[in-house]
Amino acid sequence: MTRRSFAAGLFGALAALATFDHAPFGGLLVMVEKANAEDGSKADRSPSMPMARDPAVAVAEEYEIARREGTREAFELFIARHGDDPLAEKARAELKRLSR
């Protein structure tokens, strides 16, 4: 086997072993580049997950929906879901007002 055919065979083997996860020879792995991009080093990227909502705001919105509907079922559902919330007392008062 000649030196030239050995070098060509070695280059061919390296090219065959290269996958899509690799950058050109001498470059970083694409996965490493992606990890570096996701570590917050780029200020213009938006977060991958939105921030959690304030639970008190969500409960207040649900109470307003029940109040707008104004039905017994809506207030009962609110009380069943949020019975220990201070707004549940308002919902109970609305239920008493509806039953008169």
Side-chain angles (χ1 to χ4, degrees), residues 9-97:
L10 181 60
F11 181 78
L14 287 175
L17 292 175
T19 64
F20 291 111
D21 289 340
H22 291 83
F25 293 116
L28 293 174
L29 292 174
V30 173
M31 298 303 283
V32 171
E33 291 171 2
K34 287 180 184 177
N36 289 339
E38 292 174 359
D39 71 357
S41 61
K42 292 189 177 187
D44 60 328
R45 284 189 70 152
S46 63
S48 60
M49 250 179 113
M51 293 186 61
R53 287 183 52 181
D54 182 8
V57 172
V59 171
E61 287 175 359
E62 286 187 47
Y63 174 75
E64 284 302 313
I65 291 169
R67 193 182 60 75
R68 271 187 262 136
E69 285 184 21
T71 63
R72 180 172 201 74
E73 293 81 16
F75 287 118
E76 287 173 349
L77 178 62
F78 179 82
I79 293 167
R81 293 182 70 184
H82 308 288
D84 58 344
D85 193 82
L87 288 173
E89 289 303 316
K90 286 185 173 183
R92 287 184 186 97
E94 291 289 333
L95 271 177
K96 286 180 184 178
R97 187 185 58 78

